[in-house]
Amino acid sequence: MNELATIETLLFVAGDDGLSLKQISSVLEITTQHAYQLLMTLQKEYELAQDRGLMIMEVGDTYQLATKKEYAEIIKKFAVSPLTTSLSQASLETLAIIAYKQPITRMEIDEIRGVQTTGALQKILMRGLIEEKGRVDGPGRAILYGTTKYFMDYFGLKDMAELPSIAEIELPEEEMTSDLFYDRFQQLEEVEAVDEQEEPSDDINLFNIEE
Amino acid sequence: MNELATIETLLFVAGDDGLSLKQISSVLEITTQHAYQLLMTLQKEYELAQDRGLMIMEVGDTYQLATKKEYAEIIKKFAVSPLTTSLSQASLETLAIIAYKQPITRMEIDEIRGVQTTGALQKILMRGLIEEKGRVDGPGRAILYGTTKYFMDYFGLKDMAELPSIAEIELPEEEMTSDLFYDRFQQLEEVEAVDEQEEPSDDINLFNIEE
Amino acid sequence: MAEIHLKMDAFEGPLDLLLHLIQKLELDIYDIPVAEVTEQYMAYIHAMKELQLDIASDYLVMAATLLAIKSKMLLPKQELAIDEEDEGYFETGDDPREALVEQLLEYRKYKYAADELKEREETRSQYYTKAPADLHEWQQNVPLNPLQLTTSDIFLAFSQMLHRKKLNQPLQTKIALQEVTIEEKMADILAIIRKKNGEKIDFQTFFEVATKSEMVTTFLAVLELMKAKSIWIEQKEVFGELWVYEGAMHVVE
């Protein structure tokens, strides 16, 4: 075990929280002076090594690992690369709901999707596809979202009516649930019917009704 | 700018999301072969350098930075491992079945285990180790489960083929299981003994020896 | 006593317990002496009872299975057409243990795999990784790539979302459906009957339940109990009252 390597791992694990000299000295059971010397040695090693992209940054009285300044541009490139920023299903659904139902609040989107949407909304905002379109009147004054001009340009739309119609696939809420119970009922009867046929009399292994 | 240093910074930034060869090649504008070579060079450098505590770990088709194994003990003194809450036997069995038989329904898992699996299934679903992989066609439309990329990360698998072959253990492997059973039995007897002493009659909540 | 809810956590279920017994008694899994295993299994169940543990219904179902196999093996064998290539006792299909052995072998595979996973879990926990860096700051106004999305993607996402919602709904009814399992229902019915101390009970009383699914479950539970010879049912005339009794099945007509 190597002291420099140990400090490297501790810095790595500590992340943005940073690591104080006191922490290093207590984990390694060395004096803070010694800890400081090691830290400086590691810092110098990073600095001199051409094939190292990391550095040690001092923040307040803690130290943390960071990437060297000269690699900021490439990280920026990575950050906006389509492979890094591809739109998830959640983002697409959120975008679709906003496109069809705008202006709409986050709460309403959550309700339609049946799950929380926070992260996805952030992502499509960042892609410039949606924007704030004012606020709801009344208490809470929730933000209303709608699609942007960039959205129209990107999809080559003159008018939102040019989006494929959802009238046919969209059923009112109650209709949908009753339909659902009907489906269940049907399923259950089907299973029973099948079982009755296949199992003549004594073997009563009907345990699979649930699947 | 140095290519190895660049890859190091990208690995650092990507963290446990991991970095694919495709991402490296697109950001650095090099071929995936070249990206692979660089990655391997960096891996070797880490491995050989005594004063480096980091290494490159392969998970699925991505690469991520991790601390070297020999520093686990010292890091433990400082940080809580994200993987410390180890899985229960029920969860492990359920995961094993899903890993080998995916996509699979809960009923099929129950059948193999001979017990209801609901609780364990919920737990590993919550921990992101498995996910829904669609539904069975036909009545019931039972949910199909499969393992996630995080499953591979959690167990340190490069790919699913790394899982041990279970076809081989069709044959009895007495030594393999005997220890385990013996341990189990011992535990049980210990617990029973404790129960008899400490719990006179009704409250018998000592049986959760595994958690 | 029945109110105490406690699992036999030391074992992962009846199969696990059976494997344990087979191991402990050094038995051949391919030729299980059912009588011996059953005896040990029941002894274990009794021990759990003494400890006032509520024995999970899965264990009871397995006990019934073992008893059924045991009694089948005691039955005099009819003219066995022993295949010359088959060295076994019976033709493979005739061994009442076959299904159970297969189940045990299958389960044992995954138990082994689970042990392997446990080891890997331990190994992996020695490596520490870090969370991805927050690139938020860099990601203002990231444009889409040409042809990354089309209007059909938007439409598709919407319809998929509706579809998923529709599928997720049965999940809720399904949970309701699972509130009462057949095993639980069997236990309920038995409890009611036992309270009667040998007196008959009107079949209808079991069907005063809330939902159709519970009715189905109840019906299946009754059938299972008959199969397990825990109850029997009497009907004196066609369309007449059905009476339920505790104990081994008599002639049902």
Side-chain angles (χ1 to χ4, degrees):
Chain A
M1 274 223 322
N2 178 293
E3 283 178 328
L4 289 181
T6 307
I7 293 179
E8 184 175 63
T9 61
L10 291 178
L11 284 169
F12 180 77
V13 172
D16 295 340
D17 288 343
L19 203 63
S20 67
L21 286 178
K22 224 172 149 186
Q23 284 174 306
I24 299 175
S25 75
S26 96
V27 174
L28 268 77
E29 292 167 21
I30 54 176
T31 62
T32 45
Q33 286 95 316
H34 189 181
Y36 182 73
Q37 277 161 10
L38 288 171
L39 206 58
M40 289 305 112
T41 313
L42 192 61
Q43 193 170 44
K44 188 130 264 163
E45 273 190 21
Y46 282 161
E47 230 174 275
L48 294 175
Q50 288 295 310
D51 51 2
R52 302 301 318 265
L54 302 179
M55 56 167 280
I56 295 173
M57 198 166 68
E58 205 178 331
V59 178
D61 55 356
T62 66
Y63 299 85
Q64 48 179 276
L65 279 187
T67 53
K68 285 180 181 166
K69 222 163 114 193
E70 55 263 50
Y71 295 96
E73 275 310 306
I74 203 115
I75 293 170
K76 215 184 231 173
K77 196 172 162 193
F78 170 74
V80 300
S81 129
L83 288 169
T84 315
T85 55
S86 64
L87 287 176
S88 64
Q89 181 64 23
S91 301
L92 269 180
E93 281 180 16
T94 308
L95 181 61
I97 292 167
I98 294 172
Y100 285 107
K101 305 274 183 186
Q102 59 189 311
I104 187 170
T105 66
R106 190 178 58 73
M107 285 279 278
E108 290 170 311
I109 298 168
D110 288 357
E111 238 163 69
I112 295 175
R113 292 191 61 225
V115 281
Q116 290 240 354
T117 306
T118 330
L121 203 70
Q122 211 53 44
K123 281 233 169 83
I124 50 176
L125 260 173
M126 151 196 128
R127 308 304 296 261
L129 293 161
I130 58 162
E131 63 193 354
E132 290 188 25
K133 298 271 189 188
R135 303 236 172 192
V136 173
D137 279 339
R141 297 194 49 75
I143 301 168
L144 288 162
Y145 296 96
T147 51
T148 58
K149 182 164 178 299
Y150 171 67
F151 178 93
M152 306 279 278
D153 291 346
Y154 182 83
F155 291 105
L157 302 170
K158 275 185 247 101
D159 189 306
M160 289 309 283
E162 279 185 83
L163 280 176
S165 165
I166 50 163
E168 268 172 45
I169 57 165
E170 202 184 24
L171 288 166
E173 201 73 6
E174 311 92 75
E175 235 176 280
M176 205 171 93
T177 39
S178 69
D179 197 40
L180 229 138
F181 282 117
Y182 182 70
D183 286 355
R184 281 290 314 165
F185 194 65
Q186 287 286 92
Q187 282 159 11
L188 200 63
E189 307 226 302
E190 271 165 44
V191 176
E192 278 166 18
V194 168
D195 274 338
E196 267 160 33
Q197 280 164 22
E198 292 182 0
E199 323 263 331
S201 63
D202 40 50
D203 190 334
I204 336 174
N205 239 332
L206 285 179
F207 268 71
N208 293 319
I209 48 159
E210 277 171 344
E211 294 291 279
Chain B
M1 273 221 327
N2 178 291
E3 284 178 326
L4 289 181
T6 308
I7 293 179
E8 186 175 66
T9 59
L10 291 179
L11 283 168
F12 183 79
V13 167
D16 52 20
D17 274 354
L19 197 65
S20 67
L21 288 179
K22 229 171 141 183
Q23 281 176 303
I24 299 174
S25 75
S26 98
V27 174
L28 269 77
E29 292 168 24
I30 55 176
T31 64
T32 46
Q33 284 98 313
H34 190 180
Y36 182 72
Q37 279 161 6
L38 288 170
L39 206 58
M40 290 304 111
T41 312
L42 191 61
Q43 191 169 45
K44 188 130 262 162
E45 275 190 18
Y46 283 161
E47 226 175 280
L48 295 175
Q50 290 294 311
D51 50 2
R52 302 300 322 261
L54 301 179
M55 56 161 287
I56 295 174
M57 193 165 69
E58 198 180 336
V59 175
D61 55 358
T62 65
Y63 299 85
Q64 52 178 285
L65 280 186
T67 55
K68 286 179 182 169
K69 204 173 160 184
E70 53 263 50
Y71 295 96
E73 275 310 306
I74 203 136
I75 297 170
K76 214 179 270 170
K77 275 167 81 176
F78 165 77
V80 179
S81 165
L83 307 179
T84 37
T85 34
S86 53
L87 295 163
S88 68
Q89 185 65 21
S91 296
L92 284 167
E93 279 181 17
T94 309
L95 268 176
I97 293 167
I98 295 173
Y100 286 96
K101 307 275 269 188
Q102 60 188 313
I104 186 172
T105 65
R106 187 182 58 74
M107 282 294 274
E108 291 171 304
I109 299 166
D110 287 356
E111 246 162 61
I112 292 174
R113 295 191 62 229
V115 281
Q116 293 241 356
T117 305
T118 327
L121 200 72
Q122 214 52 42
K123 256 184 214 156
I124 56 178
L125 199 62
M126 296 276 280
R127 289 183 68 164
L129 292 160
I130 58 164
E131 64 192 352
E132 290 190 26
K133 299 269 189 188
R135 302 249 176 179
V136 172
D137 277 339
R141 298 196 50 78
I143 300 168
L144 289 163
Y145 296 97
T147 54
T148 57
K149 191 193 162 219
Y150 177 63
F151 170 87
M152 297 216 271
D153 188 3
Y154 188 86
F155 292 106
L157 300 169
K158 273 183 226 161
D159 62 66
M160 293 302 280
E162 263 196 291
L163 286 173
S165 160
I166 48 165
E168 283 162 28
I169 55 144
E170 298 270 13
L171 299 166
E173 277 188 46
E174 308 298 334
E175 328 84 70
M176 176 194 81
T177 38
S178 74
D179 275 348
L180 201 116
F181 281 124
Y182 183 69
D183 288 354
R184 251 330 169 74
F185 194 62
Q186 287 288 95
Q187 279 169 6
L188 190 70
E189 306 216 309
E190 275 162 37
V191 177
E192 272 169 20
V194 169
D195 267 343
E196 268 159 33
Q197 284 163 17
E198 293 185 358
E199 317 268 328
S201 62
D202 34 58
D203 185 48
I204 333 175
N205 235 332
L206 275 180
F207 258 69
N208 293 317
I209 48 168
E210 281 180 335
E211 295 290 280
Chain C
M1 230 192 264
E3 270 77 33
I4 301 169
H5 275 283
L6 228 150
K7 276 170 43 189
M8 296 162 81
D9 277 352
F11 293 103
E12 285 305 324
L15 292 174
D16 197 13
L17 172 54
L18 271 183
L19 279 178
H20 163 73
L21 292 174
I22 289 166
Q23 194 66 38
K24 193 181 84 170
L25 304 171
E26 294 177 353
L27 303 175
D28 179 1
I29 195 168
Y30 296 96
D31 186 18
I32 301 170
V34 180
E36 195 179 350
V37 167
T38 306
E39 192 186 315
Q40 292 281 330
Y41 186 91
M42 298 311 277
Y44 192 90
I45 300 273
H46 282 301
M48 298 311 277
K49 241 186 198 152
E50 305 252 296
L51 281 167
Q52 298 191 322
L53 299 180
D54 178 29
I55 294 151
S57 51
D58 297 308
Y59 286 90
L60 299 179
V61 172
M62 177 58 77
T65 307
L66 285 172
L67 291 171
I69 294 174
K70 189 176 143 193
S71 59
K72 263 191 202 156
M73 300 214 24
L74 289 174
L75 287 178
K77 289 286 153 298
Q78 315 225 324
E79 296 271 302
L80 280 178
I82 295 172
D83 219 48
E84 252 129 67
E85 291 149 39
D86 193 11
E87 305 282 60
Y89 281 54
F90 321 102
E91 269 190 303
T92 28
D94 284 336
D95 191 332
R97 302 170 297 183
E98 195 191 336
L100 180 63
V101 170
E102 256 170 40
Q103 218 185 345
L104 283 170
L105 289 174
E106 178 80 351
Y107 174 67
R108 197 173 64 168
K109 279 195 226 169
Y110 298 105
K111 214 173 139 49
Y112 160 74
D115 293 341
E116 287 279 318
L117 286 181
K118 181 141 202 71
E119 258 173 54
R120 284 189 166 271
E121 179 189 43
E122 269 163 32
T123 311
R124 173 61 182 85
S125 70
Q126 312 274 301
Y127 299 95
Y128 291 74
T129 51
K130 76 180 267 293
D134 181 13
L135 298 172
H136 203 78
E137 241 183 281
W138 309 100
Q139 292 170 323
Q140 303 294 329
N141 284 318
V142 182
L144 294 171
N145 278 18
L147 295 179
Q148 187 180 342
L149 286 181
T150 67
T151 49
S152 340
D153 292 317
I154 302 290
F155 174 76
L156 220 66
F158 197 86
S159 79
Q160 273 166 357
M161 186 260 315
L162 286 181
H163 187 62
R164 192 199 60 225
K165 247 185 110 180
K166 189 175 165 181
L167 286 180
N168 276 345
Q169 221 97 21
L171 203 64
Q172 290 167 7
T173 43
K174 205 168 154 186
I175 288 163
L177 189 103
Q178 285 167 356
E179 267 167 15
V180 186
T181 66
I182 295 172
E183 288 88 346
E184 284 164 4
K185 206 75 211 177
M186 284 166 70
D188 288 352
I189 294 172
L190 270 185
I192 293 171
I193 290 178
R194 283 191 182 138
K195 264 192 213 140
K196 289 279 171 179
N197 284 325
E199 263 180 65
K200 64 184 181 180
I201 286 187
D202 186 349
F203 183 72
Q204 295 287 340
T205 48
F206 299 122
F207 289 88
E208 289 157 3
V209 294
T211 62
K212 180 181 152 76
S213 69
E214 197 177 344
M215 246 186 227
V216 174
T217 311
T218 306
F219 184 64
L220 292 175
V222 169
L223 292 180
E224 277 297 322
L225 285 169
M226 286 170 68
K227 192 181 168 195
K229 299 187 173 60
S230 303
I231 59 168
W232 62 283
I233 293 181
E234 179 190 51
Q235 186 179 35
K236 291 239 165 80
E237 62 206 42
V238 183
F239 299 121
E241 292 286 322
L242 287 161
W243 296 103
V244 183
Y245 297 84
E246 186 184 358
M249 203 195 294
H250 295 200
V251 182
V252 185
E253 233 3 278

